[in-house]
Amino acid sequence: MKKLTAVLMVTAMLSSALSGCAGAGRQTEVTVAAAKEGKDLSAMVWQGTVEALSSVDIIPAASGKVTQIMAKEGDHVEAGAALLEIDNQDASLQLEQAKAGYQAAQASFNSAQKANQQNTVVKPAQISFTTASDNFDRIKVLYASGDVSQTDYEAAKAQMDVAQVQLQAAQNNQTTTCEVTQAQLESAKAALDIAQKRYDDCMVVSPIKGLVTKISVETGQTVSPQIKAATVIDDSGKKVEIKVADMDIDQIKTGTEVNVNLQTLGESLKGSISDISAVSDSQTGMFDVTVSLGEESTNSAIGLMADIRIADNKEENSVYIPAKSVQSDDSGSYVYKVSDNSAVKAPVTLGKKKNAYIEVTNGLTTGDLVILQSSKPLTDGEKISILTVKQQDKTDKGEN
């Protein structure tokens, strides 16, 4: 009996010890990160190259030798201004021939129209038909009274039928003549337009107002529609094309003001977001964004590298935590922060997002530890055991 009592006591002690160990093991293991200060997210910087609003390569529509160059690199030209001329001798002769053909077709058409209005062709046939018809009506009455023979009756009717056929033919002929001459006139006009275009194409002009940046041909050189003759850019404004990550695109919108720093010139210009691509690149996750410069540089600036910053850059510091530490429910966003070795649910107000981190504008202070990962779902006030404290670095927060 004593042995049994001793065994029961040992068993009870082991059970108590194991229960104590199990209680200690129930503390949830967590990884945490400290909320730290860093510059506001508007300090994000993107880089791009200053470009003209548009650039047009001028390719001649005609073939031939260059007889004259009217513009030089660096000239500002208006839209339609002549840049160079191609030998137009053949085109000029073809144009004169087309003009003569058009004038002849116009004269024929005018003559046909006048004849149609005056019934020049139809009128004699109409008179003949009227006379024959009246004569037949008279013979028909006499034939009915027996005063003329059947032969005379049939002859009068035949004469009227012939006159009617001739009238119809005259009417058809007059209509056909008008239609034919009109078609000939339209054909001659088309030929004239083609000849005029060939002649005009010999004068190569700028399609836009802008700056001539390149003249690629020389006098005497043979050019064709396969050869670039010049380049003109629209320098009335400038733009910078940048690429913005998908995690940052919600920080900007069309119209957002930006500062454009041209380090090479030591200048800072104003600009704004003018266009944001609707979708990101499927390979890189980047969005194409266009920044339009609102101020002209004292120099051309085209081709220079530019640093782009959101204009409302704030100097004060903000609190940042890893975005993965933030959770949400019906009450809003919250985190679990560490307090007295417990996980405490803390509501937070969020600001801007940058890469894997997010700004907290209310609810945390610098140095607060927030829980990133836990070995099981957390509850408010639950005891925890900290395994690792993750450190943030400047690259993560987007500091410069």
Side-chain angles (χ1 to χ4, degrees):
M1 184 67 178
K2 290 182 178 180
K3 289 183 178 180
L4 178 60
T5 301
V7 170
L8 291 174
M9 290 178 64
V10 171
T11 301
M13 291 175 64
L14 288 173
S15 297
S16 176
L18 290 172
S19 176
C21 291
R26 281 198 297 271
Q27 283 191 340
T28 303
E29 296 176 335
V30 298
T31 299
V32 302
K36 292 189 176 183
E37 291 185 347
K39 284 188 176 181
D40 185 79
L41 287 175
S42 59
M44 290 185 294
V45 179
W46 300 277
Q47 285 191 324
T49 303
V50 180
E51 305 174 13
L53 290 181
S54 63
S55 177
V56 180
D57 290 333
I58 313 298
I59 299 176
S63 299
K65 288 186 178 181
V66 176
T67 57
Q68 186 179 5
I69 296 178
M70 290 89 156
K72 62 181 182 297
E73 295 175 3
D75 284 352
H76 276 90
V77 296
E78 297 292 327
L83 302 179
L84 57 102
E85 185 178 29
I86 300 171
D87 184 5
N88 62 9
Q89 185 174 0
D90 289 344
S92 178
L93 293 174
Q94 292 171 358
L95 178 59
E96 292 303 317
Q97 185 178 27
K99 286 180 178 179
Y102 178 73
Q103 291 171 356
Q106 183 70 66
S108 296
F109 176 73
N110 291 342
S111 177
Q113 285 290 94
K114 184 177 180 180
N116 184 52
Q117 293 170 358
Q118 297 179 351
N119 279 326
T120 304
V121 177
V122 175
K123 192 172 183 179
Q126 182 68 58
I127 293 173
S128 297
F129 173 70
T130 301
T131 301
S133 179
D134 292 343
N135 182 60
F136 174 71
D137 290 340
R138 183 177 60 82
I139 295 297
K140 185 168 60 173
V141 173
L142 295 175
Y143 176 72
S145 63
D147 293 333
V148 296
S149 65
Q150 184 175 352
T151 300
D152 292 337
Y153 171 82
E154 292 177 353
K157 185 177 184 307
Q159 186 179 18
M160 181 188 69
D161 291 343
V162 170
Q164 186 176 22
V165 171
Q166 291 175 340
L167 174 60
Q168 186 63 53
Q171 291 173 335
N172 292 341
N173 181 59
Q174 183 168 278
T175 300
T176 301
T177 300
C178 289
E179 292 175 349
V180 169
T181 55
Q182 183 175 2
Q184 291 173 340
L185 178 62
E186 292 172 354
S187 178
K189 181 63 169 63
L192 176 60
D193 290 342
I194 293 173
Q196 184 70 59
K197 184 179 185 304
R198 287 175 179 168
Y199 178 81
D200 292 342
D201 286 345
C202 292
M203 185 66 71
V204 180
V205 302
S206 173
I208 63 171
K209 177 181 179 180
L211 175 70
V212 180
T213 59
K214 184 69 175 177
I215 298 293
S216 306
V217 297
E218 298 178 352
T219 302
Q221 179 180 343
T222 299
V223 297
S224 69
Q226 288 75 42
I227 295 178
K228 181 174 72 173
T231 301
V232 179
I233 64 171
D234 179 0
D235 63 343
S236 61
K238 302 179 182 68
K239 65 180 181 180
V240 180
E241 301 283 352
I242 60 175
K243 294 185 179 298
V244 179
D246 55 356
M247 61 190 68
D248 298 327
I249 198 65
D250 59 346
Q251 309 301 324
I252 61 174
K253 61 182 180 180
T254 302
T256 298
E257 294 185 354
V258 298
N259 292 323
V260 183
N261 182 31
L262 305 176
Q263 295 183 359
T264 304
L265 300 180
E267 292 185 5
S268 183
L269 309 177
K270 295 294 184 181
S272 63
I273 304 297
S274 59
D275 185 68
I276 301 174
S277 60
V279 296
S280 63
D281 185 281
S282 59
Q283 299 296 321
T284 65
M286 308 290 278
F287 286 80
D288 291 325
V289 175
T290 301
V291 176
S292 295
L293 306 191
E295 299 178 357
E296 291 192 2
S297 169
T298 54
N299 296 281
S300 171
I302 294 175
L304 299 181
M305 290 297 296
D307 292 335
I308 310 295
R309 291 178 173 84
I310 296 178
D312 63 349
N313 185 28
K314 301 175 183 177
E315 294 300 330
E316 67 267 20
N317 287 336
S318 300
V319 176
Y320 294 92
I321 59 174
K324 66 186 295 184
S325 66
V326 179
Q327 303 181 52
S328 63
D329 56 20
D330 293 339
S331 63
S333 299
Y334 66 90
V335 298
Y336 281 105
K337 69 178 182 179
V338 178
S339 178
D340 296 330
N341 293 323
S342 299
V344 178
K345 184 178 180 180
V348 291
T349 302
L350 303 178
K352 297 178 179 179
K353 184 180 178 184
K354 175 60 179 175
N355 295 334
Y357 293 85
I358 195 163
E359 179 185 17
V360 176
T361 60
N362 189 34
L364 294 176
T365 59
T366 302
D368 283 344
L369 295 179
V370 296
I371 296 175
L372 294 178
Q373 294 175 304
S374 60
S375 58
K376 68 181 184 65
L378 296 170
T379 58
D380 191 18
E382 180 177 345
K383 291 296 182 180
I384 57 173
S385 174
I386 298 175
L387 296 179
T388 306
V389 178
K390 177 175 171 56
Q391 299 295 321
Q392 300 181 39
D393 56 34
K394 292 185 176 182
T395 301
D396 289 334
K397 296 195 295 296
E399 290 187 13
N400 299 285

